[in-house]
């Protein structure tokens, strides 16, 4: 049986990418990492891809700040197809994908977000949860649609907000949960695809 081909897009640190690649290496995630692509030239996520010998590329995003230029987005789709990607996993990718990519990979693009969606979409969701006085927050893996941090939910994990939490300590605890949840959710999708 053909393993699910994974494409990972990220703009930064890449800790979720690392967790996914470690899951694949450990054999708990029955997927093949086909390519890692970043819109940031020196993003650590590209270094992580190289560490795991996964093909990787910097994709210059063009003139916009929050999305890719249309011709760049077409190039992204071409790269993902050429790499034989079945499922696209966003891992800290800081640009909104438009219809070019969404239509090329219908219900095949997923994201992880550091809150219990639909609560606290947008930036620094852990700070939003703290400011709102939540006692529980968490992380969500969801399908990507045309809205930001929106789309059908695949899996969620709760994380308690502790009385003495700072933004940093809460974020760190949510990231630990993310690193378990994201590979597990992708493994679940792999099982559904092959089953
Ligand atoms: C994660 O917290 C994820 O929820 C959000 O972006 C962050 C990426 O972190 N979408 P990393 O680059 O995987 O460390």
């Amino acid at each position: 049986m053909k393993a699910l081909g994974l494409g990972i897009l990220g703009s930064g640190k890449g800790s979720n990418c690392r967790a996914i690649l470690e899951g694949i290496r450990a054999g708990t995630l029955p997927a093949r990492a086909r390519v890692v692509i970043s819109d940031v030239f020196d993003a650590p996520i590209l270094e992580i891809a190289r560490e795991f010998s996964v093909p990787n590329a910097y994709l210059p995003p063009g003139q916009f700040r929050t999305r890719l230029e249309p011709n760049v987005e077409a190039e992204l789709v071409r790269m993902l197809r050429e790499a034989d990607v079945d499922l696209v996993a966003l891992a800290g990718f800081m640009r909104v994908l438009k219809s070019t990519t969404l239509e090329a990979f219908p219900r095949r693009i997923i994201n992880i977000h550091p809150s219990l969606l639909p609560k606290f979409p947008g930036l620094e969701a852990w700070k939003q949860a703290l400011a709102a006085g939540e006692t529980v927050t968490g992380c969500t893996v969801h399908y990507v649609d045309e809205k930001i941090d929106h789309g059908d939910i695949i899996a969620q994990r709760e994380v308690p907000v502790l009385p003495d939490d700072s933004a940093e300590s809460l974020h760190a605890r949510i990231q630990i949960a993310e690193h378990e949840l994201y590979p597990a959710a992708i493994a679940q999708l792999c099982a559904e695809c092959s089953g």
Side-chain angles (χ1 to χ4, degrees):
M1 186 197 316
K2 180 175 168 279
L4 200 80
L6 204 58
I8 301 173
L9 307 188
S11 308
K13 183 164 71 143
S15 68
N16 280 283
C17 177
R18 177 182 292 283
I20 291 165
L21 298 181
E22 281 175 351
I24 292 172
R25 182 184 273 175
T28 52
L29 178 47
R32 287 280 298 266
R34 301 251 184 235
V35 69
V36 173
I37 299 172
S38 181
D39 60 320
V40 177
F41 176 73
D42 56 356
I45 193 170
L46 292 175
E47 194 52 49
I48 291 171
R50 290 190 275 271
E51 185 187 323
F52 283 79
S53 305
V54 175
N56 59 90
Y58 161 58
L59 182 66
Q63 62 174 315
F64 302 118
R65 202 174 51 82
T66 58
R67 63 187 167 100
L68 300 170
E69 243 175 60
N71 62 318
V72 174
E73 194 154 346
E75 172 65 7
L76 173 66
V77 169
R78 195 197 61 73
M79 290 165 79
L80 292 168
R81 286 195 170 130
E82 189 178 270
D84 202 13
V85 164
D86 303 302
L87 182 72
V88 180
L90 307 187
F93 189 62
M94 298 306 286
R95 293 183 187 261
V96 183
L97 293 174
K98 300 291 183 182
S99 57
T100 303
T101 315
L102 298 178
E103 286 168 13
F105 293 91
R107 232 174 149 74
R108 290 288 180 148
I109 308 176
I110 62 174
N111 181 42
I112 186 153
H113 182 76
S115 77
L116 296 175
L117 290 174
K119 279 189 172 179
F120 312 125
L123 293 175
E124 298 187 320
W126 61 93
K127 285 189 185 170
Q128 298 184 48
L130 213 50
E134 299 286 316
T135 55
V136 176
T137 183
C139 49
T140 302
V141 177
H142 65 96
Y143 288 105
V144 172
D145 65 12
E146 66 284 349
K147 296 187 192 145
I148 293 175
D149 302 325
H150 187 269
D152 289 349
I153 290 171
I154 298 165
Q156 289 186 308
R157 179 74 53 92
E158 290 188 353
V159 173
V161 181
L162 304 180
D164 59 351
D165 255 334
S166 63
E168 292 71 31
S169 63
L170 179 58
H171 186 211
R173 204 164 336 99
I174 292 172
Q175 283 232 291
I176 291 169
E178 288 186 336
H179 301 159
E180 291 174 11
L181 185 70
Y182 212 2
I186 296 170
Q188 179 192 321
L189 294 177
C190 290
E192 285 170 15
C193 286
S194 63

